[in-house]
Amino acid sequence: MTTKSKSYSRMQSQGKVLSVIHRLIEVIARRIYLFIAFLKGPAQSQPPIKDLTLLHSATTLAFKIRNKQLSSESVVQSYIDRIREIQPVVNCVVEERFEAALKEAKKCDELLKSQNAPSPQDLVEKMPFFGVPFTTKDCIAIANMKQTAGLVARKKFVSKHDAEVIKLMKAAGAIPLATTNISECAMWWETSNCIYGTTKNPYNTRHIVGGSSGGEGCIQAAAGSPLGIGSDIGGSIRIPSFFNGIFGHKPSKGLVSNDGQYPSAHSKEQDSLLSIGPMCRYAQDLMPTLKVLADKNIDKLRLEDKIDISKIEFYYMEDDGGQFLTSPVDVEIRDAMRAVVRYLEKAHKTRATKLSIRKMKKSVALWMANMSCKDKKDFTYELTNRNGHINLWWELVKWATFMSNHTLIALLTAAFERFGVKRDSEQHKKLIQESRDLYQEFQEILGDNGVFLYPTHPTAAPLHFEPLIKPFNFSYTAIINVLGLPATACPLGLNKQGLPIGIQIVSGLYQDRLTIAVAEELERGFGGWVPPVILA
């Protein structure tokens, strides 16, 4: 055995030992978290749905509004009433524009009643979401609303302009209703910050909603909004969608403008990782929203191509191959993956190929290499609202004495970053090249007619603060950002604890239509979003 082989074998053995220790810590810590949750009292549940308007998809609402079966004003009012019901329980909204939204809805209704009213067909083509309310996460700018990104340093910052995606949604006739909570600086997969507090899972308030678009995932699941816009740099659309049992789509890299998202990217690699896309309860709303957001890039998607599910080449992996320090995939999630494979085989006579791609075990390292900063613009810089650098160790002392304006996880993230690979080092260059190699491997496998099924996350929504002991579990989504490929989070019902589970559906670059088509098919086969109790 060569010296290199011995060194690799030794590293593997050490990694396995660390993983066993980490698993023991997970098990012990979970029991502690459960005990703490028990001491805090029973979990709350979201209020039942009384207004059946809330059960329509955004696409259906648009149809009913333009055909005068529903008024825009009544729809907007229904969602305002619902937000007021759920907000005390789940804390998902950070700022509302209810009065302005009602005025805009009233103008929509008046236009439809006027002599110059556009025809329903004109509205379908030019304003497909005419009169429909929507929400977005706090770090995507809406003019004259706060854009804090969960940073105390930005708590009074008011955006002067709409983000490009908000302009496009408004041009499509949609009405901004509210902004939703995120993690501090949009860089963690639990939604909590020192301005607005913690958002709670609508299926069980002891559990998290994910991040950073956690407030958006929550409001969609709780039927507080018919349509949402999120952003995703390491899973920030797909993880909240998974934890809250809704659909979410991370578009192909470069397809949707990132202009107006804060924090903005510092490098070409970071911009390639970041995507803005739709979050919703019904799969049928994904494609119409993506058409709006893609704008001038719409031709790249080949939407005119007809899709036959039986002709798609399916591939899947049930886990990442054993990455160190990540949780094992829950049995119920593995079973759900296998159920999908069986369903596709039975319903469409397809046969999915099980893959073993070794580089998936390096997901965290590859993502961190692509996220690495230049010009000292690291996370300590971001936490000052890009105005110098925080004194990290002093902030940790302040946090311990309840005096810091930052969450513990933000400070730990900044500390961990210092031990990461340095930009432009030999190791960094090697990891960037491995990212490119993995992208090429996926492109060769998927081509323009392949779909890859993969866990969105190894577990259902953890308890609050539990991510602190399993920080690298986001790697299942992060690796897809590294590849820049489109991915749709698809719910597959609830587990035995009543929490949502699902998978993500990935395809080749600009083949977004395939992932969405498969999500629509799985919604038909597995039921999609599971609503709370409905009072008839």
Side-chain angles (χ1 to χ4, degrees):
M1 183 181 287
T2 65
T3 303
K4 187 175 180 181
S5 297
K6 288 180 180 178
S7 176
Y8 177 76
S9 179
R10 185 166 56 253
M11 287 174 61
Q12 288 290 103
S13 298
Q14 291 172 346
K16 288 178 181 178
V17 171
L18 283 173
S19 291
V20 170
I21 294 171
H22 177 251
R23 183 61 181 150
L24 286 172
I25 292 171
E26 276 192 277
V27 172
I28 294 168
R30 183 169 180 83
R31 292 183 181 277
I32 294 171
Y33 283 124
L34 281 168
F35 180 69
I36 292 172
F38 174 78
L39 291 178
K40 289 182 177 179
Q44 293 176 275
S45 57
Q46 55 182 314
I49 293 175
K50 307 182 190 75
D51 184 347
L52 299 186
T53 298
L54 303 174
L55 296 178
H56 292 311
S57 67
T59 305
T60 299
L61 288 174
F63 173 85
K64 287 180 174 291
I65 289 169
R66 63 177 170 258
N67 286 285
K68 302 177 187 177
Q69 296 171 8
L70 283 173
S71 70
S72 175
E73 185 179 7
S74 69
V75 171
V76 170
Q77 187 62 58
S78 289
Y79 278 100
I80 290 172
D81 294 342
R82 180 62 177 170
I83 289 172
R84 286 174 173 157
E85 278 187 318
I86 64 174
Q87 179 65 9
V89 177
V90 294
N91 187 37
C92 55
V93 169
V94 299
E95 190 178 12
E96 47 86 357
R97 59 186 305 276
F98 294 164
E99 187 176 339
L102 283 170
K103 288 180 181 177
E104 290 162 16
K106 200 172 287 188
K107 287 182 180 179
C108 289
D109 294 331
E110 289 170 354
L111 177 60
L112 289 177
K113 294 174 184 176
S114 70
Q115 291 183 339
N116 298 320
S119 69
Q121 188 56 39
D122 283 343
L123 289 175
V124 169
E125 294 174 2
K126 298 176 182 178
M127 303 180 80
F129 291 110
F130 183 79
V132 177
F134 76 101
T135 47
T136 190
K137 65 192 293 189
D138 170 78
C139 63
I140 296 176
I142 297 179
N144 303 315
M145 292 188 74
K146 290 180 182 178
Q147 186 190 22
T148 73
L151 282 170
V152 171
R154 289 176 64 90
K155 67 180 179 181
K156 294 182 180 178
F157 181 86
V158 175
S159 180
K160 296 179 181 178
H161 309 286
D162 288 325
E164 183 61 25
V165 291
I166 301 300
K167 290 179 186 176
L168 293 170
M169 288 298 292
K170 285 182 175 180
I175 300 171
L177 188 59
T179 53
T180 51
N181 204 17
I182 66 169
S183 53
E184 185 173 8
C185 217
M187 278 299 292
W188 185 235
W189 54 278
E190 174 167 11
T191 291
S192 185
N193 58 66
C194 293
I195 305 175
Y196 302 114
T198 301
T199 302
K200 301 173 183 178
N201 194 294
Y203 290 90
N204 186 324
T205 54
R206 290 177 174 174
H207 293 258
I208 72 171
V209 293
S212 61
S213 311
E216 198 55 49
C218 175
I219 198 172
Q220 296 299 321
S225 169
L227 182 63
I229 306 297
S231 59
D232 188 316
I233 200 168
S236 290
I237 286 174
R238 288 159 292 151
I239 293 174
S241 295
F242 171 74
F243 287 165
N244 293 279
I246 63 165
F247 293 89
H249 182 70
K250 183 202 85 66
S252 294
K253 64 180 179 181
L255 189 70
V256 177
S257 172
N258 293 326
D259 178 63
Q261 141 85 31
Y262 186 89
S264 55
H266 286 301
S267 64
K268 179 179 69 175
E269 291 90 353
Q270 284 186 1
D271 193 58
S272 178
L273 293 174
L274 179 62
S275 290
I276 295 177
M279 300 173 71
C280 49
R281 282 170 283 146
Y282 301 101
Q284 72 171 167
D285 291 331
L286 293 172
M287 187 57 78
T289 311
L290 184 60
K291 287 180 181 179
V292 171
L293 301 183
D295 193 29
K296 296 175 183 177
N297 289 324
I298 193 69
D299 291 341
K300 294 181 180 180
L301 297 181
R302 294 168 49 198
L303 299 181
E304 71 284 353
D305 292 6
K306 291 185 178 180
I307 298 171
D308 183 345
I309 301 292
S310 66
K311 298 293 194 297
I312 293 175
E313 298 288 334
F314 286 96
Y315 305 88
Y316 71 102
M317 285 177 65
E318 294 180 1
D319 57 38
D320 59 12
Q323 187 170 199
F324 299 143
L325 302 180
T326 58
S327 302
V329 176
D330 283 352
V331 172
E332 288 177 283
I333 295 174
R334 288 179 182 270
D335 288 345
M337 175 75 75
R338 293 166 186 165
V340 167
V341 171
R342 288 195 301 271
Y343 170 79
L344 292 170
E345 183 175 352
K346 185 176 181 180
H348 297 282
K349 305 298 185 289
T350 65
R351 186 172 291 277
T353 303
K354 191 173 184 178
L355 300 178
S356 178
I357 301 174
R358 293 185 63 183
K359 283 191 177 70
M360 300 298 269
K361 292 174 67 172
K362 300 183 72 172
S363 296
V364 171
L366 295 177
W367 183 81
M368 290 185 68
N370 282 270
M371 278 293 292
S372 62
C373 60
K374 60 181 180 179
D375 303 325
K376 298 184 178 179
K377 293 178 178 178
D378 61 6
F379 203 50
T380 63
Y381 172 73
E382 296 292 356
L383 291 177
T384 65
N385 192 28
R386 299 182 172 179
N387 184 26
H389 296 260
I390 64 167
N391 183 322
L392 180 56
W393 310 117
W394 176 236
E395 284 296 332
L396 283 167
V397 170
K398 288 168 65 178
W399 180 86
T401 56
F402 306 99
M403 295 174 62
S404 178
N405 287 327
H406 302 289
T407 57
L408 175 61
I409 192 58
L411 300 177
L412 293 177
T413 299
F416 180 79
E417 187 180 28
R418 296 192 172 183
F419 298 98
V421 62
K422 303 302 178 187
R423 189 177 178 86
D424 297 326
S425 65
E426 287 304 311
Q427 180 66 6
H428 176 259
K429 291 175 183 176
K430 180 183 176 184
L431 289 169
I432 294 298
Q433 185 56 52
E434 287 188 50
S435 300
R436 293 169 182 157
D437 294 343
L438 183 59
Y439 167 77
Q440 191 59 42
E441 184 175 355
F442 263 92
Q443 282 295 93
E444 289 173 3
I445 292 171
L446 298 177
D448 62 1
N449 195 43
V451 160
F452 175 59
L453 308 175
Y454 195 51
T456 316
H457 201 80
T459 72
L463 297 160
H464 288 292
F465 309 114
E466 196 178 354
L468 284 166
I469 57 161
K470 47 183 74 173
F472 303 126
N473 283 1
F474 78 101
S475 62
Y476 279 83
T477 48
I479 191 61
I480 309 303
N481 294 80
V482 171
L483 302 175
L485 301 180
T488 303
C490 179
L492 295 171
L494 307 180
N495 67 7
K496 291 177 182 177
Q497 285 72 48
L499 294 168
I501 56 173
I503 59 170
Q504 59 179 325
I505 306 160
V506 183
S507 65
L509 191 66
Y510 301 134
Q511 312 305 321
D512 300 57
R513 69 191 186 284
L514 297 181
T515 71
I516 293 174
V518 173
E520 290 174 344
E521 176 60 25
L522 295 184
E523 181 181 38
R524 287 188 286 269
F526 291 84
W529 168 67
V530 178
V533 176
I534 300 169
L535 294 183

